[in-house]
Amino acid sequence: MRPEFNGQINTTKLPIEGMTCASCVKRVETAISKIEGVRAVSVNLATEMATFEVTDKGQVDEVARTIEKIGYAVPTFDVQLDIEGMTCASCVKRVEDALSKLSGVVSANVNLATESANIIAFHGVEIASLIGAVKKVGYTAKRRASDTSSDDERRASKEAHYVSLKRNFITAAILTAPVFFLEMASHFIPGVRESLLNLVGKQNLYLFYFVLATIVQFGPGMVFYKKGIPALLRLAPEMNSLVVLGSTAAWAYSVVSTFAAQILPAGTANVYFEASTVIVTLILLGRVLEARAKGRTSEAITKLMNLQAKSARVLRNEIFVDIPLDEVLSGDIVQVRPGDKVPVDGEVTKGSSFVDESMISGEPIPVEKTAGSDVIGGTINKTGSFEFQATKIGADSALAQIIKMVENAQGSKLPIQALVDKVTAIFVPIVMLIALITVVVWMVFGPDPALSFALVNGVAVLIIACPCAMGLATPTSIMVGTGRAAEMGVLFRNGEALQDLKNTEIVAVDKTGTLTLGRPVLTDFKLFNGFEENNTLSLIAAAESNSEHPIAEAIVQAAKERNILVPTTDTFNSQTGYGIEAEADGHTVQVGADRYMISLGHDLSAYKEITMALGNEAKTPLYAAIDGKLAAIIAVADPIKETTAAGIAALHKLGLKVAMITGDNQQTANAIAKKLNIDTVIAEVLPAGKVDAIKQLQAGNTHVSFVGDGINDAPALAQSNVGLAIGTGTDIAIESADVVLMSGDMRGVANAIALSKATITNIHQNLFWAFAYNVSLIPVATGILYPITGTLLSPMLAAGAMAVSSVFVLTNALRLKRFRATH
């Protein structure tokens, strides 16, 4: 068991990576020993573990930082726990505090809407200690597995919980109905109560109420006692505690009035069985509606999980056989027939077809797949049949990564949640104190029967307080918002990106692969100084064949299309952002931008008109020199995507400015910008200069979001306030981004920003409701309006209002499901 920190000396162990010798051990021991309050330091090279004694968790964090500062690593791991029994924001705070106090836990983020905890801890922390910490504060936890069976089990558990709540509510409602209608009828039909009392007698009627109310209180209402009483005994009350105190007070007072009225002051022997039963029934109704709404908030994850095929048709012993999905291995040849789901990720080896990838990318048009094309597990084959080689399976598949990314975003905590955490930490104790003060004030200053007034108002205060609404306000909106985003092909990596993206003022965009298809074609080939066309193109293509740049691919492809033999190169050198130099077939070949040729000493003044004309046609001109002589001007054009103009128009409609960052010369960049109505152009930018370009746009604290797709974009994605990566780009770019767009459509950027604005607005609405509800109605429940208007808040109405409060927050969050994409 990992120790908690309570001022006592605790022995703690941290794993260390990177130590190779005894001097490493000595260096680590010395560094740790210098930290104030840390003692008995011992570092073991064989186990790669540091052992030391501390009295405060902050000292453990300081030790980890110190180890990393001197060049070694303290490895961490992520774990997710499913937690049962949380009902309000106070529960969330309690579980977070319990986990955070454990030695070795770096962070703990608990989410009421997903009923889970995301924990980052140092290796060596036992899962059992995490589960034990949760159990110690009164909740049940188990580790969430990542396989499909675990997801099915989790859904079945939630469904069983919903069915149990519904059964309890129906039982309570049936038993409550006679008490409520018989007691309340007297308020609407004169003489009914008197006639009923004359018919059965007052005591017999109260005994009837007592039987029904007691069954409700300790039958369906037992769910509140099971959580509320232990929380009270731990001096850590939460929502269940408030319900227990309020409903029990009304029930117990009624029992005394029924069986021992003589011990009460004259005129105060009133029964409130209808209040105790209605409180339990309405709060159970609220829980039922809340559970149902919570299920709807997680529909996006469920839909993604349902995309996964259950089996695959795999080549075994020269024949294709159907096997369970978890038996598919990387390298297997898989057959996909018309209408089948693609079971795993892979590369097509035989056949062709069109595949519907809309559930992954949000693009409605099926994508053609031929030999060499990549396919994604979970997508649906249309008309043709093909075979592919499995490349990524299980947790490595694109679908699994998408699900994980969405789950992480839904389980994240926004900076805006900090205020809620501070309030909920003290909310329930404050409510109990207000209820106690209410009772005392009514007992001392209230009119007769003072005890009855004190009871009614005290119970109303306990029941109307709703910490659950505060706990649900932020996470439910995040769940629905990020889920809707995933359906549209927009994946938020974390909650911070979801909150920050709405502040975007400028959208900076890398041109190649983002605004354009990223597949340039050779458009012009102008020769000089007597060079012959085919031979020159052959040498240039040979030099470019060593480069992975899209322009290089266009040149090589042009040579192949003309059936020109491309020789091999003897040497190759690349100067990023300038050009390349290679030795091919006995010739020195240099290809690059004008700045490269100028650095080599070439005079380009005679060719300026040619390059400017090409640039004005949105073509990118390059120069080629062979054996020191200028041989040709090459022009390539990268076709603009059909949806780019609409995407930029959508960003303008949101009131945003668009800036294009490109390595193209100024003329080419200006031509593209004019065609697309781009506001700002930063041209002739070297890859390393993209970060400086972002900083330039960020001058004056301007909030800049950057959209890119290539390896060279990774630093710019990190520098921007929010980085958005095109999902069709490289993995490193996606890892550097805060938001991933699963299609190359620029309209996805506008969708992401608009959805960020809608989600944060929704959160503000929820928080306003949750706080305004409690701030306004708790004073009313105390009876503050009675001296002015004679109005008191019935505990029954308080219970109804509390149920409505939570349902309102959930229903408001579900409105985000109706968010419509930009067209």
Side-chain angles (χ1 to χ4, degrees):
M1 177 70 72
R2 281 273 171 175
E4 293 184 15
F5 292 90
N6 51 16
Q8 298 179 350
I9 295 175
N10 290 301
T11 300
T12 302
K13 293 183 178 182
L14 283 183
I16 303 174
E17 291 181 349
M19 296 189 300
T20 57
C21 59
S23 61
C24 298
V25 171
K26 182 63 176 176
R27 188 182 181 198
V28 173
E29 282 185 347
T30 302
I32 297 176
S33 299
K34 291 180 179 178
I35 301 173
E36 186 176 354
V38 179
R39 62 186 194 182
V41 179
S42 174
V43 178
N44 190 308
L45 181 61
T47 61
E48 297 183 300
M49 192 76 68
T51 305
F52 49 91
E53 292 180 353
V54 292
T55 57
D56 180 78
K57 185 179 184 299
Q59 295 168 333
V60 178
D61 298 335
E62 180 64 24
V63 169
R65 286 194 297 269
T66 299
I67 292 172
E68 293 183 343
K69 193 179 294 184
I70 60 175
Y72 304 97
V74 180
T76 62
F77 71 99
D78 298 348
V79 63
Q80 193 169 33
L81 300 181
D82 287 318
I83 300 177
E84 295 181 1
M86 297 190 300
T87 57
C88 64
S90 298
C91 303
V92 171
K93 180 66 174 172
R94 195 161 295 115
V95 175
E96 276 189 353
D97 289 345
L99 291 169
S100 298
K101 287 179 182 177
L102 289 177
S103 170
V105 172
V106 178
S107 67
N109 179 16
V110 180
N111 190 303
L112 179 61
T114 58
E115 297 178 286
S116 63
N118 294 312
I119 303 156
I120 299 176
F122 296 124
H123 280 291
V125 174
E126 299 173 355
I127 302 300
S129 67
L130 301 174
I131 294 173
V134 175
K135 185 177 181 181
K136 192 173 180 180
V137 292
Y139 306 93
T140 303
K142 63 179 180 179
R143 184 174 189 175
R144 175 176 291 187
S146 59
D147 55 20
T148 306
S149 62
S150 172
D151 297 327
D152 293 339
E153 180 184 334
R154 196 156 59 246
R155 286 197 292 271
S157 175
K158 288 188 176 183
E159 180 63 24
H161 176 63
Y162 172 73
V163 170
S164 176
L165 279 174
K166 191 175 180 180
R167 182 173 59 247
N168 283 338
F169 162 67
I170 292 173
T171 302
I174 292 172
L175 295 172
T176 296
V179 181
F180 177 75
F181 288 113
L182 288 175
E183 191 63 25
M184 299 306 292
S186 60
H187 295 286
F188 303 101
I189 306 176
V192 170
R193 181 181 175 84
E194 289 73 14
S195 299
L196 188 61
L197 290 175
N198 290 334
L199 181 65
V200 300
K202 180 178 179 180
Q203 190 65 18
N204 289 334
L205 181 62
Y206 285 1
L207 285 173
F208 176 64
Y209 288 171
F210 165 74
V211 172
L212 294 181
T214 302
I215 296 173
V216 171
Q217 193 73 25
F218 300 103
M222 184 55 68
V223 294
F224 303 118
Y225 285 90
K226 287 181 178 179
K227 295 294 181 184
I229 294 299
L232 284 171
L233 295 176
R234 292 192 304 271
L235 300 180
E238 33 89 275
M239 180 183 165
N240 289 299
S241 305
L242 297 179
V243 176
V244 166
L245 289 173
S247 62
T248 303
W251 176 84
Y253 188 88
S254 302
V255 170
V256 174
S257 296
T258 301
F259 296 104
Q262 66 277 8
I263 69 173
L264 297 173
T268 62
N270 302 310
V271 295
Y272 298 98
F273 286 124
E274 80 284 0
S276 68
T277 55
V278 169
I279 287 170
V280 171
T281 301
L282 286 180
I283 294 176
L284 283 173
L285 173 61
R287 294 276 178 93
V288 170
L289 296 175
E290 184 180 314
R292 183 178 179 182
K294 277 183 180 178
R296 291 185 63 198
T297 62
S298 59
E299 280 179 358
I301 287 288
T302 303
K303 287 179 181 177
L304 285 170
M305 291 176 174
N306 289 338
L307 292 178
Q308 196 132 40
K310 303 299 181 185
S311 62
R313 191 168 178 79
V314 177
L315 187 65
R316 291 282 191 268
N317 298 322
E318 304 303 321
I319 61 172
F320 285 100
V321 295
D322 291 317
I323 63 173
L325 189 67
D326 56 8
E327 293 183 12
V328 178
L329 303 175
S330 181
D332 276 344
I333 300 298
V334 183
Q335 184 184 62
V336 182
R337 296 168 295 188
D340 285 352
K341 283 184 178 179
V342 177
V344 296
D345 297 359
E347 182 178 321
V348 176
T349 57
K350 181 180 179 183
S352 64
S353 183
F354 284 85
V355 176
D356 181 1
E357 298 182 341
S358 60
M359 63 290 297
I360 301 295
S361 67
E363 293 286 350
I365 301 174
V367 180
E368 184 179 11
K369 301 294 181 181
T370 57
S373 300
D374 292 329
V375 290
I376 302 174
T379 54
I380 299 174
N381 184 31
K382 303 301 282 185
T383 55
S385 178
F386 62 89
E387 297 173 12
F388 71 92
Q389 185 175 40
T391 55
K392 292 182 180 179
I393 60 175
D396 294 327
S397 69
L399 182 59
Q401 293 297 314
I402 289 171
I403 291 173
K404 182 179 179 181
M405 198 179 298
V406 174
E407 284 184 330
N408 288 342
Q410 290 188 340
S412 62
K413 183 170 289 189
L414 301 189
I416 198 174
Q417 183 71 18
L419 174 62
V420 179
D421 291 341
K422 291 178 181 178
V423 173
T424 54
I426 57 174
F427 181 79
V428 174
I430 286 178
V431 169
M432 293 175 65
L433 180 61
I434 292 173
L436 178 61
I437 293 172
T438 299
V439 170
V440 171
V441 169
W442 277 96
M443 288 290 292
V444 175
F445 301 105
D448 292 330
L451 181 58
S452 296
F453 279 117
L455 174 70
V456 169
N457 290 298
V459 170
V461 170
L462 291 171
I463 297 302
I464 200 150
C466 190
C468 51
M470 291 189 288
L472 292 168
T474 301
T476 50
S477 295
I478 294 175
M479 284 187 70
V480 181
T482 54
R484 179 69 185 112
E487 292 173 354
M488 295 162 56
V490 177
L491 304 177
F492 288 92
R493 279 195 173 277
N494 50 60
E496 288 81 1
L498 180 63
Q499 180 169 330
D500 290 345
L501 193 58
K502 72 175 180 60
N503 299 319
T504 300
E505 298 171 81
I506 296 176
V507 177
V509 186
D510 176 62
K511 189 205 77 173
T512 304
T514 305
L515 299 178
T516 64
L517 291 174
R519 295 192 295 272
V521 292
L522 183 65
T523 60
D524 297 83
F525 190 56
K526 300 182 182 296
L527 297 167
F528 304 102
N529 298 323
F531 282 91
E532 190 271 330
E533 183 173 338
N534 283 358
N535 185 55
T536 302
L537 183 57
S538 170
L539 293 173
I540 295 172
E544 293 286 8
S545 65
N546 294 281
S547 173
E548 295 181 354
H549 196 283
I551 290 178
E553 294 178 7
I555 295 171
V556 173
Q557 183 63 30
K560 289 181 179 178
E561 290 173 355
R562 300 184 189 188
N563 295 317
I564 295 175
L565 182 65
V566 178
T568 58
T569 56
D570 298 318
T571 62
F572 176 80
N573 181 47
S574 173
Q575 295 186 41
T576 303
Y578 282 83
I580 61 168
E581 180 178 325
E583 295 288 336
D585 203 19
H587 298 279
T588 300
V589 184
Q590 295 158 322
V591 185
D594 52 1
R595 54 180 169 267
Y596 182 44
M597 292 296 144
I598 291 172
S599 71
L600 294 174
H602 293 286
D603 181 6
L604 305 181
S605 57
Y607 310 103
K608 183 171 288 188
E609 288 187 10
I610 297 175
T611 57
M612 286 185 67
L614 292 170
N616 289 333
E617 295 174 7
K619 298 175 181 177
T620 301
L622 296 173
Y623 293 87
I626 297 176
D627 295 328
K629 291 183 179 180
L630 196 64
I633 292 179
I634 308 163
V636 295
D638 190 357
I640 295 171
K641 296 175 184 177
E642 293 182 1
T643 57
T644 295
I648 291 173
L651 291 171
H652 284 149
K653 193 173 181 180
L654 290 173
L656 306 174
K657 292 187 179 297
V658 180
M660 180 176 72
I661 300 175
T662 177
D664 286 343
N665 64 45
Q666 195 68 51
Q667 288 79 21
T668 302
N670 287 340
I672 295 172
K674 184 178 180 180
K675 187 174 183 179
L676 294 174
N677 195 25
I678 290 173
D679 303 288
T680 304
V681 176
I682 304 179
E684 302 181 22
V685 177
L686 299 178
K690 289 183 181 180
V691 171
D692 291 331
I694 296 295
K695 289 180 179 179
Q696 177 184 331
L697 293 170
Q698 288 173 324
N701 292 322
T702 301
H703 195 289
V704 177
S705 293
F706 178 74
V707 188
D709 80 324
I711 291 177
N712 292 332
D713 295 334
L717 288 167
Q719 171 61 36
S720 61
N721 297 90
V722 179
L724 299 93
I726 300 296
T728 52
T730 58
D731 288 342
I732 187 169
I734 293 176
E735 288 297 322
S736 303
D738 304 299
V739 183
V740 177
L741 307 176
M742 291 305 294
S743 74
D745 191 338
M746 272 295 292
R747 290 176 296 184
V749 180
N751 287 335
I753 294 173
L755 191 51
S756 169
K757 291 176 181 287
T759 302
I760 300 305
T761 297
N762 193 272
I763 289 172
H764 287 157
Q765 292 167 346
N766 281 348
L767 288 175
F768 174 79
W769 168 263
F771 281 97
Y773 164 88
N774 284 292
V775 169
S776 60
L777 291 187
I778 289 177
V780 174
T782 65
I784 196 171
L785 297 179
Y786 185 79
I788 304 170
T789 64
T791 301
L792 289 177
L793 185 65
S794 164
M796 292 183 290
L797 292 177
M802 190 192 73
V804 167
S805 179
S806 296
V807 174
F808 175 89
V809 165
L810 286 161
T811 304
N812 187 50
L814 287 169
R815 290 193 307 112
L816 290 169
K817 291 173 70 68
R818 300 198 295 268
F819 180 88
R820 291 290 172 261
T822 302
H823 297 292

